[in-house]
Amino acid sequence: MARRMLEYIKEQPEVWRKITDGRESLFQGAVEKLQQPAKRIVILGSGSSYIASMAAADLYEKMLGLEAAAVVPTRLDGLLRLLNPEETLLIAVSQSGKSTSTIDAVKKWKARGFRILAVTADEQSPVAKEGDIHQFIACGEETVGPKTKGMTATVLTLYFLGLALGRAWNLGDHGDSDRFLEELNQAIDAAPSNIEKSIEFCRNQADLLAVIPHVTILSEDAGYYAAQEGALKLLETLYIPAVAYEFEEYLHGVNNTIAPGMCHLYLPASEKNVERMAALDHYTREKGCINLIITVLDWEEGSHVLKLSGNQNPYLSIFETLPAFQVMSVFGSERRNIDCDKPKFPDFYGVLNTKA
Ligand SMILES: O=P(O)(O)OC[C@H]1O[C@](O)(CO)[C@@H](O)[C@@H]1O
């Protein structure tokens, strides 16, 4: 059993509550140093930090009207030539602060005159020290490879950073931020019971999780980031291929993989596609696919449906539905005799030089 991973998963509501309640003092330092507004924000990170960066860039565009994009550290060179350092804020995200590709990218961009805000959970790490400004991710220690509380705390940190910068730079609508905060508070309050429901659901699905050879995850809107992180967790812990598709993209070709035994996880996140996703669920089950549904939306009840409490704001899927995937990793790996508290290849980082 991935005991430590499960402890971290259960710790999440408390971590989110602390960040939310302590946000004034937690973000004050960085925001004071960032009074000069930027025209655009580029966020970089790897793995879960990249997925967190994508979710944040999307929210910054939507709520603040800022130009924002997320990129992996090794794909920045084209942008370096296009962007003006005077107008651009680069945010480098790394929970450990030790990913070598992120350190290299920060050094390169700094040398070209870009302002760098480093966001890490270790103030003494290389990424934190290379940045001009540091924002701490208050998630506490997380020693296992498949990150859970660190990832969700990174998303929350980036969300709050954006809202604080929006206030400082006079962007976005105060009413929208207040509503977002209210929904976020509701998501945090609902999280302990959502995690318990997920544990019960995954226990009941353990036989299935033990044998599925691969997983296809479908979501939509900003639920897609929870789906991507869910896929990363499942493949990291069950050692099987797990791929996330944006719902509409799935319908354009990937649907040819529909076949008996295909396992689908549906994550309907907004009312927009709810009927079409339900139609796809019925269609694929008739063709012999094995489907599970994880959602906060109204959905026809069934043993394959995990109905969680939440709002209809897809930007909150990370806090509402993603923990169910994390729990699936714990129970699925246990049934496969995998201890995902321990690295599969302890020498890997050293051989490939991925961490400083
Ligand atoms: O956020 P960091 O510490 O830069 O790590 C990036 C990714 O690298 C890993 O540590 C794997 O090498 C993932 O767990 C993580 O999401």
Side-chain angles (χ1 to χ4, degrees), residues 45-50 93-102 119 127 137 144-147 151 154 229 232-233 236 348-349 354-355:
S46 281
S48 294
S49 292
Y50 173 54
V93 182
S94 173
Q95 185 181 338
S96 65
K98 291 182 181 151
S99 290
T100 46
S101 53
T102 304
V119 177
V127 173
I137 305 167
V144 303
K147 303 301 183 205
M151 189 279 170
T154 301
E229 176 63 9
L232 186 57
K233 275 321 89 153
E236 259 182 303
F348 189 81
Y349 294 160
T354 57
K355 302 283 178 189

Side-chain angles (χ1 to χ4, degrees), residues 205-215 238-241 261-263 290 328 331-338:
Q205 298 294 342
D207 288 345
L208 174 67
L209 296 172
V211 296
I212 44 173
H214 37 65
V215 191
L238 308 189
Y239 307 164
I240 56 171
M262 281 297 288
C263 180
I290 302 158
M328 220 173 258
F331 284 86
S333 61
E334 183 184 24
R335 288 298 300 268
R336 286 168 186 258
N337 293 321
I338 294 170

Side-chain angles (χ1 to χ4, degrees), residues 5-131:
M5 189 176 169
L6 186 59
E7 277 165 25
Y8 292 145
I9 293 168
K10 288 184 174 177
E11 240 181 77
Q12 290 179 114
E14 201 186 316
V15 169
W16 305 338
R17 176 53 61 210
K18 274 194 186 145
I19 296 175
T20 303
D21 292 351
R23 65 190 183 282
E24 288 302 331
S25 59
L26 203 52
F27 298 95
Q28 193 184 9
V31 173
E32 271 173 8
K33 292 180 191 140
L34 286 165
Q35 289 301 308
Q36 169 81 18
K39 192 172 164 202
R40 73 184 62 80
I41 292 182
V42 176
I43 319 180
L44 67 91
S46 281
S48 294
S49 292
Y50 173 54
I51 297 170
S53 303
M54 286 194 284
D58 189 331
L59 187 84
Y60 293 0
E61 281 204 326
K62 189 181 161 71
M63 285 191 67
L64 309 178
L66 264 174
E67 283 176 36
V71 199
V72 291
T74 47
R75 302 296 301 154
L76 280 163
D77 288 1
L79 282 176
L80 252 186
R81 282 191 293 277
L82 287 175
L83 300 178
N84 177 350
E86 302 295 318
E87 299 176 336
T88 308
L89 171 67
L90 185 89
I91 304 183
V93 182
S94 173
Q95 185 181 338
S96 65
K98 291 182 181 151
S99 290
T100 46
S101 53
T102 304
I103 301 169
D104 292 347
V106 167
K107 284 184 180 163
K108 204 179 212 177
W109 281 62
K110 206 169 143 188
R112 300 284 183 106
F114 286 86
R115 269 189 300 171
I116 316 277
L117 167 62
V119 177
T120 83
D122 179 358
E123 284 158 304
Q124 300 307 319
S125 64
V127 173
K129 287 185 176 165
E130 285 295 336

Side-chain angles (χ1 to χ4, degrees), residues 233-301:
K233 275 321 89 153
L234 292 179
L235 71 83
E236 259 182 303
T237 55
L238 308 189
Y239 307 164
I240 56 171
V243 187
Y245 292 98
E246 196 280 326
F247 173 63
E248 203 65 42
E249 279 306 296
Y250 174 88
L251 305 178
H252 291 279
V254 191
N255 55 297
N256 282 345
T257 62
I258 294 171
M262 281 297 288
C263 180
H264 291 159
L265 289 178
Y266 291 77
L267 198 58
S270 74
E271 284 297 333
K272 199 172 67 197
N273 282 313
V274 77
E275 280 175 21
R276 293 172 77 218
M277 283 187 102
L280 184 66
D281 172 36
H282 282 282
Y283 186 89
T284 51
R285 274 193 288 144
E286 272 168 20
K287 299 271 183 281
C289 297
I290 302 158
N291 296 349
L292 299 177
I293 315 285
I294 302 170
T295 190
V296 298
L297 304 180
D298 286 336
W299 200 274
E300 195 182 349
E301 283 186 18

